[in-house]
Every structure is written in structure tokens, then in C-alpha cells.
Amino acid sequence: AQSVAQPEDQVNVAEGNPLTVKCTYSVSGNPYLFWYVQYPNRGLQFLLKYITGDNLVKGSYGFEAEFNKSQTSFHLKKPSALVSDSALYFCAVMRGANNLFFGTGTRLTVIP
Amino acid sequence: EAGVAQSPRYKIIEKRQSVAFWCNPISGHATLYWYQQILGQGPKLLIQFQNNGVVDDSQLPKDRFSAERLKGVDSTLKIQPAKLEDSAVYLCASSLGLAGETQYFGPGTRLLVL
């Protein structure tokens, strides 16, 4: 079965430092992987996705993610964190019927 | 371009009452999804429509939940009767429905069952 895991419930990073939010996947075949962000009392906003091609995917708000097949990972990264990046981040994998299975989420706090 | 619209934004009901949520997807999106997000968890798919047909409702508690998308555009999700454990945010999303296509989410309806 297609699934993803987010091993960290909480990530804290100082403003201006690089940030990483981890995601690992378990799929058969080639995965379609997504990252979404959720701000308080808001729906999910799409950040980026990996379908095929270049393993480094660039997305919204300066975020990027690297697809690593050997490590079955799709970690979200940003070179320099902003306080406004503080939010809940979800990794997801697309399943056969083209719906999404979400991870449990990682709360990112950027400390001024 | 208008996004996915949902109403109401908030709803408080007592257990055993019924409630309905409405969603209007992005224009031209054939596929519509309803997800349930319980506090502290990731969204979980309840039902997926392709136009007005059901593609996946395997995780919908059919004894109390129902959903329809009669004209292939907007959709209604109903809970009857509600239980305490139904307290959650109900998210609607839409997409073009092809493999790899991005799903776009509405703001959600926050339901509290007392």
C-alpha cells in the first residue's frame, strides 16, 4: 500500500538558518509525492510535487524538495527560514485512484 | 481564478443531530474530494467523485455519512446522526483528476460535536 511517514512531529529552527522537514515513503512503482502547508484556520496550500524528471523540485515561497529513490525520501528544504514559514507541513503520496494519502504532519516553528 | 469554496466555516451541533457541508470546486475540475482532518492528524480521504460518479468511498462510514454530487459540480457531505468522534475539519478539494494533477483545497469546515 502507498504510504508516507513524517518522523518528526516538531521542528524548530532559527530565522535565517536552513530548514529541513523530513518525509519517507513506501510505494510500489514510481511515486507521485506532494508537499502541502497549513496555516492556522486555513485549508492546505500546495507547495510542490515530484512526478518524474529532475530529483530536485522547486516550489512556492522558496521551498524545494529532493526525491531520493535509494533512501525512499522526499525531504522539504529551504535555504533560509523566515518566521512566516511557521506552520504545519504535510507530505503526501498519490494513490492509484489519484487521491492522496497524507502523513501525520510536522509543525515547523521558526524562532526570531 | 476562484478557489474551492466551502460553507459553513464553523458548525457546532449536539451528538445525534444531523449536519451538512457544501463545497463548490474550481471551475472545470472534474474530480472532487472530501477529506476529514482530526486534530493532530493528517487529512484522511472520505470520498472521491469523478464528475457525478463515485470513484472511492472505501473509508466513508456509510452508516452515518453520505455525499452527493448530483450535477457534477458542487457537492454536499452529510452526517446523520453525528457522534462525538466526528469532531474534525472537513476539507473539500478538487483537481482535473488526471494522474499527478495537483489537488487544491478549500478553507474547510470545522465541526464540533458536543
Side-chain angles (χ1 to χ4, degrees):
Chain A
Q2 320 279 60
S3 68
V4 292
Q6 293 182 244
E8 301 162 318
D9 291 335
Q10 174 83 38
V11 170
N12 296 326
V13 63
E15 185 178 22
N17 282 4
L19 70 87
T20 299
V21 183
K22 296 180 180 177
C23 174
T24 60
Y25 65 88
S26 175
V27 304
S28 54
N30 296 319
Y32 292 170
L33 296 162
F34 296 74
W35 275 103
Y36 284 82
V37 60
Q38 188 173 37
Y39 297 100
N41 299 316
R42 304 270 295 274
L44 276 72
Q45 294 182 29
F46 169 72
L47 282 178
L48 51 80
K49 65 182 177 184
Y50 172 81
I51 303 300
T52 186
D54 194 349
N55 289 344
L56 185 63
V57 179
K58 294 189 182 296
S60 307
Y61 313 120
F63 283 93
E64 58 188 27
E66 184 171 10
F67 173 69
N68 189 317
K69 191 170 185 177
S70 63
Q71 297 185 8
T72 62
S73 67
F74 188 56
H75 299 333
L76 182 71
K77 299 181 180 183
K78 187 173 182 181
S80 178
L82 301 173
V83 173
S84 57
D85 293 330
S86 298
L88 193 54
Y89 290 81
F90 290 98
C91 178
V93 62
M94 183 163 277
R95 300 186 296 188
N98 297 334
N99 54 57
L100 294 176
F101 179 91
F102 285 88
T104 51
T106 298
R107 184 166 300 282
L108 173 68
T109 299
V110 181
I111 303 164
Chain B
E1 178 182 272
V4 176
Q6 290 187 248
S7 67
R9 292 295 310 278
Y10 304 93
K11 191 74 177 179
I12 301 174
I13 62 173
E14 295 188 350
K15 59 183 179 183
R16 292 188 289 275
Q17 286 186 325
S18 63
V19 64
F21 312 128
W22 174 83
C23 172
N24 189 260
I26 293 172
S27 178
H29 280 190
T31 305
L32 184 148
Y33 313 80
W34 284 101
Y35 289 86
Q36 180 193 56
Q37 185 178 17
I38 293 173
L39 188 64
Q41 299 181 18
K44 183 187 77 172
L45 179 74
L46 290 175
I47 189 167
Q48 175 184 351
F49 292 94
Q50 177 78 12
N51 297 309
N52 60 353
V54 175
V55 174
D56 186 346
D57 64 355
S58 57
Q59 297 190 81
L60 187 73
K62 299 180 184 63
D63 58 333
R64 299 184 300 105
F65 285 65
S66 64
E68 59 184 15
R69 193 185 184 199
L70 293 177
K71 296 183 179 179
V73 180
D74 55 351
S75 174
T76 303
L77 176 69
K78 297 180 181 178
I79 308 175
Q80 182 179 13
K83 292 185 175 182
L84 297 178
E85 59 261 36
D86 298 332
S87 294
V89 176
Y90 291 84
L91 295 165
C92 179
S94 70
S95 80
L96 294 173
L98 302 176
E101 286 291 340
T102 300
Q103 294 179 26
Y104 295 93
F105 285 78
T109 296
R110 185 175 297 274
L111 174 68
L112 179 60
V113 182
L114 301 176

